[in-house]
Amino acid sequence: MIDTLFSGLIHGSAYALVAVGMSLVFGVTNVANFAQGSLVAVGMMIAWWLGSSLGWGIVPTLIAVIVVSAILGLVLNVAVISPLEGRKPIAALLATIGVGQILDNGLQIIFGPQTRPFPKLLATYNYQLFGVRFGTSDIVMVIIAVISMLALWAFLKYGRIGQAIRATSQDPEAARQMGIPVKSIRNISFVIGAVLAGISGIFVGLFNGNINPTNGGTIGMTAFVAATIGGLGSIPGAVIGGIALGVVEALGISWFGDGAHDLITFGALLVILILRPQGLLGKNIDVKTEPLTGTFLGGGRPIVLPWWGNVLGAVALLATPFFFNDYLSGVGTQIAIYAIAAVGLTLISGSAGQTILGMAGPFAVGAYASAILTMQLKWPFLVALLAAGLIAALAASILTFPVWKLAGHYVAIATIGVGYVMVAIIRLAEPLTKGSLGIQGIAFPSVFGQSLYTQQMQYLLDVVVLIIALIIVSRVRASHLGHVFEAVGSDQDAAEALSIRTSAYKALAYALAAFFAGLAGSLLAHQYTYIDPTIFNVNMSLLVLTIIVMGGMNSPLGAVLGAIILIGGPELLRFATEVRVLLYGVLLILIILFRPQGLFAKKV
């Protein structure tokens, strides 16, 4: 038990360092920086390279990591975040996601994706106390964590720049009128946050022993949970949240196994959001009017085709399977599957104005539901397809039911938790889902007794489902319900003044989006013939979101265009697999900066 608590304390200290940087940036800019975990990976990989290849010691390595991290933090704010000032803060949140994708993928390209041992910059197991083995690295990490946090507290409380940071976090406009250089203060905040993340990366590497460039994403997401638990914007809360989460994770894993990690971490996130969304030490704010409430839309209106244009488009789409070879049809199935999920997402993230960051969860539920229904209960594929969508919608609705009293980034964060929790439950339900091993031998889709065993047949099925999805979503948007969704997304306060239950309509829009994600998951399962939990990761959620950002968050046809560009483009141009996610990040940032309404939409 003592060794478990010690392990939790060490991990919690790393989470706290990263979470403090996140809370600092959020407090000053109201930006939830999802690139923070990637900066952890940057510090980790630079330290690995300097220690392994150049033989540097801990002090010069630490200095180098601080310098590189500081530069990246400054560039992040100057090049990406500052140009978005004056727009909805959700735009900056999405931009940091794009930066994270670029950094993560860039590290894999530069250093390779393989796992490798971290250099012994400090001794790791040279002490023993009460039966617990630990090292100089653990002691130094805790000391650095404590000193960093105390120094940051003193800096913010007594330092002139620190006081300016606090003033800027409380009221940027008032601070600007008092002569405080708000832009410079924000630069400093991003630099400090990045440096804390980079330092954390060194000690995470020392503690884990083996690393790879993808480790930062998990650390960053967990640290974000810690910051949310403590209260975004609260430095002491980030410390408490990080250490508490580290200890709870360590105890939970020791009792239930490593497979329970995500369930513990993101289950705790959902619990805190439901019971105290502002966090343990966060300010008592109105969660209906917090700063990230509102849609990302940059005043965009979807381009509407005449009826004959829609008919011609549908005919052309239906004709493609008859002219495509196996390779092109295989690409087409990927485009269509992701387009189906993205079309549904436009109802909630576009019309209803609520950004959703966890669509991989409903995707996974639909895939597993369809596979289990057809393989174990012998249901016909078409019945299982429809049931998969309904089960995904029901599961998503149940898990998110309590969070719709919140708004803005609180709901967006909750959907991240829901996505992780869904996949974690699938992983733990081994008797039904075979856990981490996955389900193999899934039959090809069968329609009216005809097995669709060729790529062309499967592509034709996907196209038919996509067209049906477009028709349904377009009909919903044109109906009274669709107008209510748009009223909620355009001005939530005005909608509530008209006695519209905005939370109920957002929940309904999310259920519809989850339904279409479930359909997409079913098609994916039967065309891959094998699924496992690793397929349904955060990159899948971000890809679906990036698709609608590119095409136009309020445009179903734009979602199809976004899927063609983001999935079909790299496939057809045969870009290397490792470059794709980097490309997604670059395109996401460019769209947010220069065409926030999307490609298939126009300004109003």
Side-chain angles (χ1 to χ4, degrees):
M1 178 62 74
I2 295 178
D3 59 337
T4 300
L5 291 174
F6 180 79
S7 173
L9 176 64
I10 298 300
H11 260 117
S13 298
Y15 295 155
L17 274 175
V18 186
V20 165
M22 287 182 168
S23 283
L24 177 63
V25 169
F26 185 86
V28 173
T29 65
N30 286 327
V31 173
N33 183 13
F34 276 88
Q36 193 79 348
S38 301
L39 292 169
V40 174
V42 169
M44 186 188 307
M45 296 310 300
I46 290 176
W48 168 81
W49 179 65
L50 294 176
S52 297
S53 301
L54 302 183
W56 286 22
I58 183 64
V59 174
T61 297
L62 184 62
I63 293 172
V65 167
I66 289 173
V67 171
V68 174
S69 300
I71 292 172
L72 287 175
L74 180 62
V75 171
L76 168 61
N77 187 49
V78 172
V80 179
I81 305 302
S82 289
L84 296 173
E85 187 175 354
R87 300 191 196 175
K88 296 287 186 182
I90 198 70
L93 181 151
L94 294 175
T96 64
I97 290 174
V99 171
Q101 290 176 309
I102 293 171
L103 290 177
D104 289 342
N105 219 236
L107 290 174
Q108 292 183 58
I109 294 171
I110 294 170
F111 297 107
Q114 69 273 14
T115 299
R116 76 288 313 271
F118 196 80
K120 301 294 184 182
L121 299 174
L122 290 171
T124 51
Y125 292 105
N126 53 326
Y127 297 110
Q128 184 170 345
L129 184 65
F130 301 117
V132 178
R133 293 187 62 82
F134 59 96
T136 304
S137 61
D138 301 323
I139 298 172
V140 172
M141 166 142 183
V142 173
I143 291 174
I144 286 183
V146 171
I147 291 176
S148 298
M149 294 167 195
L150 289 176
L152 182 59
W153 171 80
F155 171 72
L156 293 174
K157 187 171 181 63
Y158 300 110
R160 186 171 181 179
I161 296 177
Q163 291 173 351
I165 290 175
R166 289 167 55 205
T168 302
S169 69
Q170 292 172 5
D171 192 331
E173 288 304 318
R176 191 176 280 112
Q177 293 172 8
M178 293 295 292
I180 295 175
V182 172
K183 286 189 176 181
S184 298
I185 294 301
R186 288 176 172 170
N187 286 338
I188 293 171
S189 299
F190 270 90
V191 167
I192 293 174
V195 166
L196 291 175
I199 293 173
S200 175
I202 297 175
F203 291 98
V204 169
L206 284 168
F207 183 79
N208 289 342
N210 293 304
I211 63 164
N212 68 60
T214 64
N215 291 151
T218 302
I219 297 282
M221 193 60 71
T222 307
F224 186 76
V225 173
T228 305
I229 290 173
L232 281 169
S234 169
I235 303 301
V239 176
I240 293 173
I243 293 175
L245 187 59
V247 171
V248 169
E249 275 188 358
L251 292 173
I253 291 172
S254 69
W255 293 335
F256 304 109
D258 190 59
H261 175 275
D262 287 350
L263 185 61
I264 295 168
T265 302
F266 294 96
L269 172 66
L270 292 177
V271 170
I272 200 70
L273 286 173
I274 293 167
L275 299 180
R276 188 175 172 80
Q278 66 270 32
L280 298 176
L281 299 183
K283 300 175 183 177
N284 288 318
I285 62 174
D286 182 2
V287 296
K288 280 290 191 179
T289 59
E290 51 82 29
L292 288 187
T293 299
T295 180
F296 163 73
L297 295 175
R301 184 175 63 190
I303 296 172
V304 179
L305 297 178
W307 68 268
W308 53 267
N310 289 323
V311 171
L312 286 177
V315 171
L317 198 58
L318 285 169
T320 54
F322 298 98
F323 295 97
F324 282 6
N325 58 23
D326 285 347
Y327 173 71
L328 290 178
S329 294
V331 174
T333 60
Q334 295 297 307
I335 294 172
I337 287 172
Y338 276 94
I340 291 165
V343 166
L345 189 58
T346 61
L347 287 174
I348 176 64
S349 291
S351 296
Q354 177 59 62
T355 301
I356 302 296
L357 300 174
M359 288 307 290
F363 224 118
V365 171
Y368 273 86
S370 187
I372 291 169
L373 290 174
T374 54
M375 295 180 70
Q376 298 186 19
L377 301 183
K378 307 303 180 183
W379 284 26
F381 166 74
L382 290 180
V383 178
L385 172 68
L386 182 60
L390 294 174
I391 292 171
L394 181 62
S397 298
I398 291 173
L399 286 174
T400 57
F401 174 75
V403 306
W404 292 107
K405 64 179 181 180
L406 311 175
H409 83 279
Y410 291 118
V411 178
I413 293 170
T415 62
I416 295 175
V418 168
Y420 274 99
V421 166
M422 283 181 171
V423 177
I425 292 173
I426 288 172
R427 182 179 283 110
L428 291 173
E430 290 189 18
L432 188 64
T433 65
K434 298 185 180 178
S436 299
L437 295 177
I439 299 176
Q440 49 189 318
I442 304 170
F444 288 127
S446 177
V447 178
F448 304 124
Q450 173 63 52
S451 175
L452 308 183
Y453 57 90
T454 68
Q455 293 281 13
Q456 288 86 349
M457 291 178 176
Q458 294 169 9
Y459 177 36
L460 180 60
L461 171 66
D462 295 341
V463 166
V464 171
V465 176
L466 174 59
I467 291 174
I468 293 173
L470 284 167
I471 293 172
I472 293 173
V473 171
S474 298
R475 296 286 293 178
V476 169
R477 286 173 49 81
S479 68
H480 173 72
L481 177 61
H483 295 321
V484 175
F485 285 160
E486 290 180 1
V488 171
S490 298
D491 193 329
Q492 183 168 319
D493 292 334
E496 289 180 349
L498 294 173
S499 300
I500 295 175
R501 297 175 60 192
T502 57
S503 60
Y505 280 101
K506 283 188 176 184
L508 176 58
Y510 178 59
L512 291 172
F515 171 79
F516 288 106
L519 295 183
S522 173
L523 293 170
L524 181 146
H526 288 273
Q527 291 168 28
Y528 279 16
T529 70
Y530 167 77
I531 53 175
D532 69 66
T534 62
I535 296 173
F536 308 98
N537 52 37
V538 67
N539 284 334
M540 174 180 278
S541 296
L542 297 181
L543 176 55
V544 177
L545 180 63
T546 306
I547 285 171
I548 67 168
V549 171
M550 170 160 286
M553 292 186 79
N554 209 17
S555 172
L557 289 177
V560 179
L561 177 63
I564 292 172
I565 294 173
L566 279 177
I567 298 173
E571 285 283 357
L572 295 175
L573 296 177
R574 297 186 179 242
F575 285 139
T577 302
E578 62 270 16
V579 178
R580 289 182 195 166
V581 178
L582 189 149
L583 177 65
Y584 298 155
V586 171
L587 289 175
L588 178 59
I589 292 172
L590 291 177
I591 289 294
I592 292 170
L593 287 174
F594 301 111
R595 193 171 173 82
Q597 73 271 24
L599 297 178
F600 204 73
K602 53 187 177 182
K603 290 184 177 180
V604 293

